Amino acid sequence: MKSRLEILLIIALFILLQALLSNFVNFGPLVSIAVYPLLILTFPSKIPLYQKLILSFLLGLGVDYTGGYTMGINSGAAVILSFTQPLLIKLVVPHSELYKGSRAGLFELGIVRFAYYVVAGLMIHQASIELLENFASIFTFQSLLRFFLSIFVNSLIILLTEFGIFYKNRG
Amino acid sequence: MAVKKSVKPLLAGVLTFLILEVASLFLMANDSVVHKIRIEGAIAFIQEKLFNAHSGISYYFSLKDINEQLLKENTRLINQLSYYRTLAESHDTSMIVKQPDNDSSDFTYIPARIVGNSINHMHNYIIINRGSKAGVKEDMGVISPEGVIGVVRSVSENYAYVISLLNINQTVSAKIVSSGVYGPLTWDGRSAQYAVLSEIPQHIPITVGDSVVTSGLSSIFPPDIPLGSVRKSRIVMGSHHQIQVRLFQDFRRLYFVNVVVNSNKEELDKLTGEYEE
């Protein structure tokens, strides 16, 4: 019960953080800032998949509402990322049973594996956003530029956030 | 020792994923007109693909019946060819020359395939894969080798909507071959196998098994298109027969049809219209 409340509180904090970044930091039309994928990627593996999906949906819905996005875009992308997260863990960490029950953070995976994990997750998330926004192929010059720039910027922000909030305060 | 993994959590996950994605699409469609149009376009595209796949699969599994139909049609054509050969060999040219003057020379046919067919309602319809591009127009008749199928009601570029004979509002002018007496044939909305021929005077003798064909008294269908055979009859209002006709055409096994084009239809309709006014 306590851990559930903690998760809901963290979700609210991430929605707030995302709203602040979306509304007050302007990187131009070629970069869409998304810090909330960090929370989806680091959901503890002990949470059942369907609960992770519902929590991701609520998180995405909050981001849509507070960030002024079309309702449903971030929630749809968040659900796709959450659905593929267990597969990503298996790809990045072949013996994932070592981390059973825990969150897949910087401390648990190490910097290299965590960086791979975040970049792979952000690729899925950004591709989902582009597909849901345009309902068409993302392989146009502008879309590809936005795709790679967003992944680069968001990877840096997420790594810094993970290091600053979760890694340093661990223990 | 092998660890048994339950499938239920995965199924619950997949189900939740699908529900939440649909919910997201629904939210997007409600929030933005552009997304609504794109989503509706995507749904229409998927529906079209599924419909085509379904149609293709049904078509594949019905090839046996189609072969039988083609065989029958082939037999009919061979018989016709044989008839004309006999006439040619007997040097009786008068009958060959006579043929072009026959009413049926006014009619040509556009072959079409059934892509939609309903038989379980009171107002059944059929969709065929030929439209205005192929020359199909409203009020053209549709027939198969086994009988009358219906009348074209509306036409798009590539498809036509046909009011089926199995529609309580559809009437075809029919005649009994043995007596030559004609009356309207309509479907009573009960069985897809039977239709009702009415307004046949009481004094006309009716025999079970008599053939019923189109009368040719309309500009829609040529004469002598087979419809069915007399199954039973009863006297109604003490004045005329009401005849139950067993239809030759099984509407559940309908794949290929011909749209009837009457080259004189406009002229005939115009003439009739002038007198009716």
Side-chain angles (χ1 to χ4, degrees), chain A residues 50 53 71 76 79-80 132-133, chain B residues 13 16 21 28 31 35 38:
Chain A
Y50 79 93
L53 292 168
M71 290 298 284
V79 170
I80 292 172
L132 288 170
E133 252 182 12
Chain B
T16 313
E21 281 304 322
M28 282 164 66
D31 200 43
H35 281 99
R38 283 176 180 164

Side-chain angles (χ1 to χ4, degrees), chain B residues 142-161:
Chain B
V142 179
I143 60 170
S144 78
E146 290 177 328
V148 166
I149 303 304
V151 177
V152 175
R153 173 68 181 272
S154 60
V155 180
S156 69
E157 202 172 310
N158 295 308
Y159 297 96
Y161 180 91

Side-chain angles (χ1 to χ4, degrees), chain B residues 55 112-117 126-129 149 254-257:
Chain B
S55 176
R113 188 162 68 86
I114 302 285
V115 292
N117 183 10
I126 289 163
I127 310 278
I128 56 173
N129 70 339
I149 303 304
L254 194 56
Y255 307 106
F256 293 103
V257 291

Side-chain angles (χ1 to χ4, degrees), chain A residues 49-50 53-54 57 61 69-73 75-77 79-80 83 90 132-135, chain B residues 5 9-10 12-14 16-17 20-21 23-25 27-29 31-32 35 38-39 42:
Chain A
L49 179 60
Y50 79 93
L53 292 168
I54 292 169
F57 181 76
L61 216 54
Y69 298 97
T70 302
M71 290 298 284
I73 285 194
S75 52
V79 170
I80 292 172
F83 189 69
K90 277 184 186 168
L132 288 170
E133 252 182 12
N134 303 315
F135 262 86
Chain B
K5 280 190 177 177
L10 184 66
V14 172
T16 313
F17 171 72
L20 293 176
E21 281 304 322
S24 298
L25 291 174
L27 283 170
M28 282 164 66
D31 200 43
S32 153
H35 281 99
R38 283 176 180 164
I39 290 166

